[in-house]
Amino acid sequence: MMLDIDTQEQNKLSGAPLALETKLKTHCVDLASERVGGETLSCSDDFFAEMENLIKPGRGIFIDDKFTDRGKWMDGWESRRSYGRDNGREFDWCIIRLGIKGVIRGFDIDTNYFRGNAPESVSVEGCVSEVEPNADTVWETVLEQASVEAHSQNIFAINNDKAYTHVRLNMFPDGGVARLRVYGEADVNWEHFIAGELIDLAYIKNGGKALLVSDMFFSDKNNLIMPGRGKDMGDGWETKRRRDPGPDWSIVKLASQGSIEKVIVDTCHFKGNFPDTFTLEGMVSTSDDFTDGQQEDKWQPIIARTKLYAHREHLFINEIIPASTETFTHIRLNIFPDGGISRLRTFGKKG
């Protein structure tokens, strides 16, 4: 997926950031998120606020009267002031191991609540490394040094087809960044799977992507395909209450065209708001555009309408209608009439 924006400077034009963020969130995943295994490894300095905050969920928050023994508590990564440092360093930096190796399509460098202590500018570098980066690591520029605004989402599109395992965020000369989002597409090494192995083709770390949902009033569409079981009711996909028969639905692009031979629908933590029933459908398509009912006639049944229960993993094998030789590129989970699903797993073989 290439974003139709030619230069990084164009991304910062007035009115562009919101549309760009929507595009990145729709077509990409956050490769650096701690939820998919992202990890902050090291930084030049985090005297005021820890580097680990960079990849936490949500935007940074502010608590007016909260202080630490080092100064004002801030929900982000913040270095001390650089003047007087006799170390030859011209900027501060933080190295992040991506939870998913992938092609980077954009960054959200969010300075939320860093009003008087944001950096003047930032850059981002990337590398491919099987070990933790060190002094011998060769870094490549992914985002050229660019100015950023205080207390703002600073969003940039990247046109680069190389996959990276790590990024290094540089801020000039010092200051604070609340969150870093590294939007991109998973670069999956299919040789890591054994021949004939059933693969969860919807799983976000395998390259699955939640494209479009009817509603995500209470929680994000990507929760459906995240690692592990949900930690609470907020860690799933939940819609608001409908006042009609429904259904609500979620469309997921599979990591690769493949068969569907085992399905798990998990309602973990959804005890009073799980869907009554569900269906699962699939199609083969080269397009990810499902707006305004486009491609509606291509959907075919995978699992017929089936009862669901509270706080339970539901396993389906014999209920799957298509033969194991049939393959799909996209699936749609329909829930009647509404409610919450923690996780959806669709196991099959890569076509």
Side-chain angles (χ1 to χ4, degrees), residues 241-295:
R241 300 186 189 213
R242 298 183 70 101
R243 301 308 180 192
D244 60 46
D248 278 315
W249 48 265
S250 174
I251 296 174
V252 176
K253 182 178 183 179
L254 300 178
S256 168
Q257 184 168 339
S259 63
I260 295 179
E261 302 180 38
K262 182 171 80 169
V263 172
I264 294 174
V265 178
D266 189 359
T267 57
C268 185
H269 300 294
F270 290 95
K271 299 176 181 180
N273 50 356
F274 60 96
D276 179 53
T277 59
F278 87 101
T279 65
L280 188 67
E281 300 171 295
M283 73 160 67
V284 175
S285 177
T286 57
S287 172
D288 292 342
D289 187 2
F290 295 92
T291 56
D292 301 322
Q294 295 192 51
Q295 309 190 74

Side-chain angles (χ1 to χ4, degrees), residues 157-172:
I158 303 298
N159 291 325
N160 182 337
D161 285 330
K162 183 168 182 179
Y164 296 95
T165 59
H166 299 74
V167 295
R168 182 166 66 183
L169 171 64
N170 305 313
M171 56 182 183
F172 302 84

Side-chain angles (χ1 to χ4, degrees), residues 13 85 87-88 153 158 177 185 192 197 207 211 227 234 239 243-244 252 254 281 310 313 315 339:
L13 293 175
R85 289 194 311 209
N87 54 20
Q153 288 179 265
I158 303 298
V177 172
E185 300 169 321
H192 290 170
E197 177 183 358
L211 296 179
T239 68
R243 301 308 180 192
D244 60 46
V252 176
L254 300 178
E281 300 171 295
E313 279 191 323
L315 172 65

Side-chain angles (χ1 to χ4, degrees), residues 41 46 96 122 125 162 181 210 229 257 280 302 325:
L41 299 179
D46 59 354
I96 299 104
V122 297
E125 299 166 290
K162 183 168 182 179
R181 303 293 178 225
R229 297 192 76 190
Q257 184 168 339
L280 188 67
I302 295 175
T325 54

Side-chain angles (χ1 to χ4, degrees), residues 28-34 36 55 100 180-184 204:
C28 303
V29 299
D30 182 3
L31 305 173
S33 168
E34 66 176 6
V36 299
I55 56 175
I100 304 172
L180 171 66
R181 303 293 178 225
V182 182
Y183 290 110
I204 196 168

